[in-house]
């Protein structure tokens, strides 16, 4: 543990602010030197704005005669004439000023303008300009001036963009972009409740914290919460032994026999061994040994993350008396960051992409972590520990919700011996704790009925019954939390029938009544049974549930036509009005020549047309014109396609069934661009077990054309060069037969269109199994998945569909337990990192960023297999070994790698 602490301290120091580097210091020095140079140049500059003064320009007194003015003008004009003063870039401007000054003193009109407006040219507009030093306008300095100008022109916007990009590293919630990337990479279905503190400690904000000395706290926690004794556990002797080991000496447990005796590698008294000769292997009874490390669950092996996770676990186990002041300061800095980090974890777990069917438990775990950190209680502790002066819960104690609702003295006596003042504190706490009630409405804006495909809104009202109308909830009672915390409520909407999470919303209000709106698209017609879970992020034991029931009709059963008034139908758009205006301009030449009788005839025709349209609206039985009827029939036809009707329209009937094959070759099958086995035409391969839908009629014999985009691909399904372990030609693919005879899971694997899935459900006599439903729930298209589940629900009924879901869950858990040894994150000697998911998906990543996708198969002999490799389950070590099926001597070794870097690389596809 000490080595881990030292390593964590080094990492924390490496990530601290390192001060100004050399480039920044040089840049600051140059900038300040230029600033001082500019100030020195401007010290003699006039402080007042210079105005036009002809006497000052000509350098004559205000009472000078005309002869003196002319003499001064001749002198100044010769001095500043551009032909005479060629080296002065300001000569033209000075010559012009001299001419204006002479005119202002000699010309009568110019003199009047100067006396009235201060300018011989009369009143003028204000002009703005940039003042430049005369040295910048010299011909030799013009290139330098232009370079500086364009440098500033591009450098300033570039600096602003860099600052904005640097500021974008922090999201609106105050969480860094690095932390969000880590959470997106690590939050998946494998996150358990005990993994959440380690996941929180992996955040960039937590890893930047300084690490204090917490050895005393860890030793105390190893006594109260010891690590289970297993191979590799650090143990200590609880008493002196007959072989000379003293109490407190340490070692490593290597093996524990069935008789209870343990084989231990004993360390020297000075500490961890430095040489192999310092280790002595002996056998001791288990009664003299105890674990020397605390139990700190953490999904990562990074020392800094494990160190942060240990501090969070120590806080939840209330080990504060064993912490030094520096350790408590470190814990305070960590806990202050947790509200925004936990909020980001919950948001990512609930609003991520893909199927969220199993993520409700992940969301619940993150919420439970937040409130356990606020109240400093363990996940398995009783909520009664949140009460003041309660440090232990006796057997037979009442529930927390019961105590909060009626904190009577007779009930509080069951919690132990409490003084009168302590009873008053608990009663005051119970008045402060929120008690909430939920109510709901489901509606569609501006519509009386709800139909499939509508954008609906579930409005949930949360009422705090412990508050009056004018009151608001105050800060949370959390004596172990270092910051002020206000309660927040998370609303989780869960579909009972589909057993998946629909949405999650956060309620931030502190008043008596708070409202939340969850928008969703009605996925199907029929009845819905949802459940709303209200979970508080600051108190445990106050969660509330609400059952939501509503019904949606089919699209064809609800009138969604928009009534258009006849007068509104004649309103022209801006484009139509412009075009009509152009037509009128073209006909304006002949309009004046029209006779009045022609104009009256045209107006009568227009009025007659309006009367005909009005008659059509009034006399029609449905109040619709023929055009509206056509639109309505078109809408009904489109609604019929999406509502899951058992009938097929003409377009669906035109979709052929196709041919279905399953790849049976152990080495898979190649994909070709053309129906030829030329290696240059290969574009990929398919693994064993893949199911294809294609066409054989009119194609070369033995070939299957699979439609993909504009140009299909070709697969050899007959006459393979090698099939399994045979060298003679055989069948690389199995013909699954016509559409009604294949299994639903094979149809889903083949990515069949929705119309074929509906056709199969209508025509087949095969029984739908739990394996079929599992494959349906893995469909990427959410709309197609909902539609197929609805069709299966109609066919099987509510009870049959529920049994099917139960069977699917049993199969899922059984499969996950079967592949338990192969699950996790690994790395091979060639630098490839692997991830085997609980669903059996194998995801690999090369060092160059290229990806690998495969799947673990459970063979008929109950062996785990990836392609031609089978898992050697007899070896007992931290690594796993894959043996080639046809050559057991060839092994493929995977070593476990639970580092954060590996997890992030697999999620983002970064190169090594």
């Amino acid at each position: 543990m000490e080595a881990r602490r030292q390593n964590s301290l080094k990492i924390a120091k490496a990530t601290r602010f390192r001060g100004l580097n050399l480039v920044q210091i040089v840049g600051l020095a140059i900038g300040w030197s230029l600033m001082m140079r500019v100030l020195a140049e401007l010290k003699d500059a006039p402080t007042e704005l210079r105005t036009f003064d002809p006497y000052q320009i000509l350098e004559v007194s205000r009472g000078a005669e005309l002869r003196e003015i002319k003499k001064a003008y001749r002198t100044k004009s010769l001095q500043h004439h551009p032909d005479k003063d060629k080296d002065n870039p300001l000569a033209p401007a000075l010559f012009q000023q001299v001419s204006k000054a002479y005119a202002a003193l000699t010309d009568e009109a110019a003199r009047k303008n100067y006396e009235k407006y201060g300018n011989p040219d009369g009143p003028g507009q204000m002009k703005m300009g940039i003042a430049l030093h005369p040295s910048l306008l010299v011909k030799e300095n013009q290139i330098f001036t232009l370079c500086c100008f364009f440098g500033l022109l591009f450098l300033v916007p570039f600096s602003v963009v860099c600052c904005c990009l640097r500021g974008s590293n922090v999201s609106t919630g105050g969480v860094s972009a690095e932390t969000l990337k880590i959470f997106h990479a690590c939050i998946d279905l494998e996150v358990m409740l005990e993994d959440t503190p380690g996941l929180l400690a992996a955040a960039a904000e937590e890893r930047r914290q300084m690490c204090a000395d917490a050895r005393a706290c860890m030793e105390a926690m190893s006594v109260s919460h010891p690590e289970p004794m297993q191979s590799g556990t650090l143990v200590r002797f609880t008493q002196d032994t007959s072989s000379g080991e003293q109490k407190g000496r340490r070692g490593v447990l290597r093996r524990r026999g069935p008789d209870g005796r343990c084989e231990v590698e004993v360390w020297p008294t000075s500490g961890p061994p430095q040489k192999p000769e310092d280790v002595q292997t002996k056998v001791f009874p288990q009664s003299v040994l105890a674990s020397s490390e605390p139990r700190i669950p953490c999904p990562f092996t990074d020392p800094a993350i494990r160190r942060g996770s240990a501090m969070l676990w120590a806080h939840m186990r209330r080990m504060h008396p064993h912490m030094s002041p520096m350790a408590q300061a470190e814990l305070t800095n960590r806990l202050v960051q947790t509200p925004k980090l936990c909020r980001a974890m919950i948001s990512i777990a609930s609003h991520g992409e893909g199927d969220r069917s199993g993520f409700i438990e992940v969301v619940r775990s993150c919420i439970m972590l937040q409130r356990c950190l606020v109240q400093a209680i363990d996940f398995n502790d009783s909520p009664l520990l949140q009460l003041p002066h309660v440090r232990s819960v006796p057997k037979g104690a009442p529930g927390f919700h019961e105590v909060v609702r009626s904190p009577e003295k007779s009930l509080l006596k069951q919690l132990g011996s409490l003084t009168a003042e302590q009873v008053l504190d608990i009663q005051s706490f119970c008045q402060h704790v929120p008690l909430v009630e939920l109510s709901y409405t489901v509606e569609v804006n501006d519509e009386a009925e709800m139909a499939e495909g509508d954008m609906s809104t579930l409005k949930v009202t949360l009422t705090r019954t412990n508050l009056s109308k004018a009151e608001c909830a105050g800060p949370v009672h959390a004596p172990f939390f270092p910051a002020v915390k206000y309660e927040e409520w998370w609303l989780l909407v869960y579909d009972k029938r589909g057993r998946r999470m629909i949405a999650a919303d956060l309620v931030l209000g502190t008043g008596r009544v708070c409202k939340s709106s969850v928008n969703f698209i009605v996925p199907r017609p029929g009845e819905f049974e949802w459940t709303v879970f209200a979970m508080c992020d600051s108190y445990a034991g106050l969660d509330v549930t609400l059952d939501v029931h509503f019904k949606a009709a089919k699209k064809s059963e609800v009138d969604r036509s928009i009534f258009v008034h006849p007068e509104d139908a004649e309103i022209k758009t801006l484009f139509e009005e412009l075009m009509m205006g152009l037509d009128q301009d073209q006909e304006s030449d002949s309009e004046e020549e029209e006779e009045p009788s022609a104009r009256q005839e045209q107006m009568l025709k227009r009025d007659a047309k309006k009367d005909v349209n009005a008659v059509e609206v009034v006399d029609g039985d449905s109040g619709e014109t023929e055009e509206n009827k056509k639109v309505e029939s078109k809408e009904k036809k489109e609604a019929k396609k999406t509502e899951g009707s058992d009938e097929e329209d003409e377009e669906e009937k035109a979709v052929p069934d196709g041919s279905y094959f399953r790849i049976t070759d152990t080495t898979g099958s190649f994909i070709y661009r053309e129906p030829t086995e030329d290696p240059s035409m290969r574009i990929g391969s398919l693994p064993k077990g893949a199911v294809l839908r294609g066409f054989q009629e009119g194609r070369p014999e033995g070939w299957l054309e699979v439609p993909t985009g504009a140009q299909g691909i070709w697969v050899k399904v007959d006459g393979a060069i090698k099939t399994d372990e045979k060298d003679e030609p055989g069948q690389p693919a199995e013909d699954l037969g016509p559409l009604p005879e294949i299994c639903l899971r094979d149809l889903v694997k083949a990515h069949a269109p929705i119309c074929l899935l509906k056709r199969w459900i209508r025509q087949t006599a095969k029984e739908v199994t739990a394996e079929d439903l599992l494959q349906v729930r893995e469909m990427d298209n959410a709309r197609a998945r909902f539609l197929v589940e609805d069709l299966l629900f109609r066919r099987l009924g509510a009870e049959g569909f529920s049994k099917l879901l139960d069977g699917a869950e049993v199969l899922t858990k059984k499969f996950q337990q079967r592949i338990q040894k192969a699950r996790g994150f690994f790395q091979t000697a060639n630098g490839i990192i692997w991830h085997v998911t609980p669903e059996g998906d194998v995801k690999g990543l090369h060092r160059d960023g290229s990806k690998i996708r495969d799947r673990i198969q459970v063979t008929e002999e109950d062996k785990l297999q990836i392609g031609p490799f089978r898992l050697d389950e007899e070896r007992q070590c931290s690594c796993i070994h894959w043996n080639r099926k046809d050559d057991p001597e060839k092994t493929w070794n995977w070593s476990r790698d639970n580092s954060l870097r590996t997890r992030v690389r697999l999620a983002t596809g970064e190169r090594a």
Side-chain angles (χ1 to χ4, degrees), residues 186-355:
C186 300
I187 294 180
D188 52 22
L189 288 175
E190 298 181 70
V191 176
M192 308 300 292
L193 180 60
E194 292 186 340
D195 296 335
T196 52
L199 182 59
L200 182 64
E205 290 83 351
E206 294 286 332
R207 288 185 285 116
R208 295 185 186 128
Q209 300 295 332
M210 284 294 296
C211 298
D213 187 3
R215 285 177 293 181
C217 179
M218 296 299 110
E219 290 177 0
M221 194 160 53
S222 64
V223 176
S224 60
H225 299 81
E227 181 76 18
M229 295 183 62
Q230 55 188 358
S231 179
T233 303
L234 184 64
V235 296
R236 58 183 172 85
F237 292 94
T238 58
Q239 61 186 20
D240 297 341
T241 63
S242 58
S243 58
E245 285 76 19
Q246 298 179 353
K247 179 181 178 181
R249 195 170 178 178
R250 300 189 179 190
V252 178
L253 177 65
R254 289 305 177 193
R255 189 179 295 105
R256 186 170 57 180
D259 56 350
R261 297 181 65 83
C262 302
E263 180 181 335
V264 180
E265 293 181 356
V266 183
W267 287 1
T269 56
S270 59
Q274 304 296 329
K275 298 180 295 182
E277 295 81 14
D278 297 338
V279 178
Q280 298 179 2
T281 303
K282 298 181 181 181
V283 179
F284 303 93
Q286 187 176 350
S287 58
V288 302
L289 300 174
S291 177
S292 183
E293 289 186 342
R295 183 176 180 272
I296 304 173
C298 184
F300 304 101
T301 56
D302 304 70
I305 300 177
R306 294 187 64 86
R307 173 65 170 71
S309 178
M311 294 300 295
L312 296 178
W313 278 105
H315 168 70
M316 292 191 295
R317 293 165 180 171
R318 299 190 177 182
M319 306 300 295
H320 307 89
H322 303 280
M323 296 183 184
S324 63
M326 291 298 295
Q328 292 183 2
E330 175 196 346
L331 179 61
T332 299
N333 294 333
R334 291 181 181 275
L335 292 177
V336 168
Q337 305 288 337
T338 55
K340 63 180 181 182
L341 296 178
C342 289
R343 193 181 299 118
M345 292 170 57
I346 299 169
S347 179
I348 291 174
S350 58
H351 297 93
E353 298 179 356
D355 186 15

Side-chain angles (χ1 to χ4, degrees), residues 48 73 130 134 153 157 184 226 257 302 365 441 466 576 585 593 599 624 671 692 706 719 747 756 847 898:
E48 296 181 358
Y73 168 69
I130 300 176
L153 183 64
H184 277 288
D302 304 70
S365 299
T441 57
N466 63 310
E576 292 175 342
D585 291 341
E593 301 177 0
R599 292 185 180 180
E624 297 176 348
I671 304 173
L692 303 174
V706 181
L747 194 63
L756 293 184
R847 297 178 64 88
N898 291 324

Side-chain angles (χ1 to χ4, degrees), residues 27 56 61 132 151 197 325 338 425-426 497 565 616 632 665 692:
Q56 184 179 1
S61 60
L132 297 177
T338 55
D425 290 343
I426 295 178
R497 176 176 138 179
H565 196 274
E616 288 181 357
E632 182 184 1
D665 197 331
L692 303 174

Side-chain angles (χ1 to χ4, degrees), residues 7 103 143 175 279 457 645 872:
N7 196 1
I143 297 179
V175 182
V279 178
T457 303
S645 176
D872 186 358

